[in-house]
Amino acid sequence: MGLPLLLPLLLLLLAFLQAGRSTKCSSKLGYEMNQPEQLSAPEGGSVQIPFSFCHPWDLPSVLSVSISWIWKKFHGEFIYNTTPPFIHKDFENRLSLNWKNGWSNGSLQISNLRREDKSLYFCRVHVTTRNHGRQEWQSIPGTDLTIIPAPKKTTQGPTTAAPTDGLRVSGDKRSSGSWPLRTEAVVAVALFSAVLKIAILGVTAYLLLKRSKGLQTNARAPVRPGSSLPEAP
């Protein structure tokens, strides 16, 4: 194949490649920034906010392009910027931009999501051209990001029954903290029983001794003159 035939093919291929990389708007609008209106992601996870933009200039007339991200409101705080490089302190080590110069679309990834990340996010593009200077525009509604709270971890402790006689019982096992109370109760009961038995024995011995002395006195008493003993029946 000769050079005259290769040249048209090379020009056609170059035109095809340029068309694939074109950032011109296909609609009648001269500038566009497209983002999803709503996204949701779980707390502790990550989310990617996609974006795409277009402008009325050919690539050769564009000198530079930079991307910025704003949150909370349309004229809110900047949280990310490609030129000069900047990341908000609340998003340190949590933001990454999947975009390269010459691309008309990309995405912002937010990792290790927190509940405080729930907000509106706006992508802004800055374009410097040869003949029109620096131009910038951004999404008007932005993306409303909702953070789904992580489920709370609950730990179920051992079930304990109501204390009975100073003892705390969990299942079939006695609580070790109840043993001193039970020992004191047993000692008190034993001591009371011993004292009671000693008292009963003392009273019994006293009564027996008193009765024995009474009998001996009656046996030794003399018979007075004029008195008579009782007759036997």
Side-chain angles (χ1 to χ4, degrees), residues 116-189:
E116 296 79 10
D117 296 336
K118 171 181 168 56
S119 185
L120 292 170
Y121 292 83
F122 304 86
C123 182
R124 179 181 295 184
V125 60
H126 312 264
V127 177
T128 303
T129 65
R130 295 181 183 276
N131 302 321
H132 298 86
R134 181 179 174 86
Q135 304 290 332
E136 59 184 35
W137 63 98
Q138 73 179 56
S139 170
I140 295 177
T143 298
D144 187 5
L145 177 61
T146 301
I147 305 300
I148 304 173
K152 294 183 179 180
K153 297 181 180 180
T154 57
T155 56
Q156 185 175 1
T159 304
T160 58
T164 305
D165 295 335
L167 299 179
R168 295 193 301 271
V169 180
S170 176
D172 295 330
K173 298 182 180 179
R174 294 185 180 90
S175 172
S176 59
S178 64
W179 283 111
L181 180 60
R182 183 182 180 184
T183 303
E184 293 176 0
V186 171
V187 172
V189 172

Side-chain angles (χ1 to χ4, degrees), residues 70-108:
I70 302 168
W71 75 329
K72 295 184 179 180
K73 55 184 179 180
F74 188 85
H75 294 291
E77 293 182 271
F78 285 90
I79 62 172
Y80 186 90
N81 193 36
T82 56
T83 307
F86 170 76
I87 295 180
H88 194 279
K89 62 180 181 179
D90 292 342
F91 294 90
E92 288 183 358
N93 302 320
R94 299 199 298 130
L95 293 183
S96 60
L97 184 68
N98 181 25
W99 176 83
K100 291 183 180 180
N101 200 356
W103 292 6
S104 61
N105 56 71
S107 63
L108 176 71

